[in-house]
Amino acid sequence: MFLSPQALAAELDAAVDQRQLVTYYQPQIDLSSGDIVAVEALVRWIHPTYGVIPPDEFIPIAESIGSIRRVGRTVLTDAAQQLTRWSAAGKRLELSVNISPTELGPELAGELVETLDEFGMDPTLLTMEITETEPIIDLPRAVRCLHEVRALGVGVSVDDFGTGYASINQLRNLPATELKVDQSLIRGNRSAARRTLIPVLAEASDLGIRIVAEGVETADQMNHAIELGCQRAQGYLIGAPMTPDEFNAHFS
Ligand code: C2E
Ligand code: MG
Ligand code: MG
């Protein structure tokens, strides 16, 4: 069923209140050990009538109607709580949470501290992912905010790297601790990806930045990720985004 952005926008705030936003988790492995070391939180809107609405459909709407910070806080709180549950069950995992460029303001660090304190969560387990596919309108403001995030011990990841706006020069200004190589470069033409990426990723590695491959669907693509110098990988080959129950059943 086709739902217009206007129809979704009209329902989104109530959906947050009614807990229709559900956080899924996608595992990430360390390529040297093969162990699951982290999860990425990925939100879905489970609509009572229309079923699962993917984030690409409603995150831009949440941004445009000024509800993105509420959505972001909901996901962060859910995910921090889930990480605490896993930790209590003896699973030590790191957590990545996506954040929209419009959330990069002076309030963010304080909100992170509140959530970390609420769940007694180690800040070094948390990484905030900012996407490279959207331009950051106010770069100085965003850079200030990300430095505050880093000062807490929380990591900063540049998501969808290699597709958009963050050149290695801009990266020097962003206090990035991680780059996530975009899926198109993992699943697309390999020799082109190698030619353009290996020097950049090697330079990033020298700066102490962790390199993660996303969208790994086959063993071949996993080898390609290793050749590019990635330390971690994420993708359907390892596991799709799933509920905590599914995660526990798959990876007990
Ligand atoms: P992303 O952060 O780059 O997340 C990766 C997307 O690729 C996810 O789509 C994931 O399900 C999908 N994916 C993972 N592995 C594979 C694979 O092997 N093959 C293929 N074909 N796809 C794979 P999803 O969950 O639909 O999320 C789309 C985007 O929505 C995310 O891209 C992220 O930018 C945004 N998003 C998701 N959750 C949030 C959130 O809580 N806040 C914000 N601001 N954005 C979010
Ligand atoms: Mg991401
Ligand atoms: Mg991505």
Side-chain angles (χ1 to χ4, degrees):
M1 151 127 14
F2 174 77
L3 271 173
S4 70
Q6 289 78 5
L8 289 184
E11 292 191 37
L12 185 54
D13 280 323
V16 179
D17 294 336
Q18 290 161 19
R19 309 197 57 80
Q20 290 172 14
L21 298 194
V22 176
T23 308
Y24 279 47
Y25 300 88
Q26 187 175 31
Q28 220 178 68
I29 59 164
D30 179 304
L31 283 166
S32 54
S33 66
D35 293 342
I36 292 172
V37 288
V39 289
E40 178 176 4
L42 292 158
V43 68
R44 276 97 182 83
W45 179 355
I46 313 293
H47 192 285
T49 314
Y50 307 114
V52 180
I53 304 175
D56 283 336
E57 279 179 39
F58 69 88
I59 292 290
I61 294 170
E63 288 171 348
S64 71
I65 64 172
S67 297
I68 189 64
R69 282 184 52 212
R70 278 192 77 211
V71 172
R73 287 204 77 150
T74 304
V75 175
L76 179 69
T77 308
D78 276 2
Q81 183 168 40
Q82 183 54 48
L83 206 77
T84 311
R85 288 196 194 109
W86 275 322
S87 165
K91 276 197 182 74
R92 189 184 191 278
L93 293 165
E94 294 174 35
L95 169 69
S96 290
V97 176
N98 295 281
I99 188 159
S100 298
T102 45
E103 292 176 83
L104 299 177
E107 314 80 15
L108 181 66
E111 290 177 2
L112 292 183
V113 169
E114 261 177 46
T115 307
L116 291 165
D117 285 353
E118 183 180 349
F119 297 102
M121 184 178 157
D122 174 357
T124 63
L125 295 178
L126 179 64
T127 292
M128 304 308 290
E129 296 191 3
I130 50 165
T131 180
E132 209 205 42
T133 54
E134 276 181 69
I136 297 175
I137 307 293
D138 188 344
L139 190 62
R141 181 177 195 257
V143 169
R144 254 194 322 274
C145 166
L146 292 173
H147 277 286
E148 288 164 7
V149 168
R150 280 296 302 129
L152 302 175
V154 172
V156 170
S157 177
V158 178
D159 202 352
D160 312 313
F161 181 74
T163 53
Y165 295 85
S167 68
I168 192 82
N169 288 331
Q170 198 181 1
L171 278 180
R172 289 204 183 86
N173 298 322
L174 293 181
T177 53
E178 179 184 280
L179 298 184
K180 284 186 98 169
V181 178
D182 190 64
Q183 323 199 355
S184 60
L185 299 159
I186 298 299
R187 297 203 297 270
N189 181 307
R190 278 190 212 174
S191 48
R194 274 200 289 267
R195 212 172 33 249
T196 54
L197 278 176
I198 287 179
V200 184
L201 297 182
E203 191 178 341
S205 276
D206 288 346
L207 296 170
I209 295 174
R210 178 171 62 217
I211 315 293
V212 180
E214 67 177 354
V216 175
E217 293 182 350
T218 67
D220 254 16
Q221 288 161 7
M222 183 98 92
N223 289 331
H224 173 51
I226 293 167
E227 279 166 24
L228 289 175
C230 296
Q231 287 114 36
R232 291 186 180 178
Q234 182 180 336
Y236 293 169
L237 180 67
I238 301 144
M242 56 189 97
T243 63
D245 283 348
E246 289 167 339
F247 190 94
N248 294 337
H250 274 76
F251 307 107
S252 51

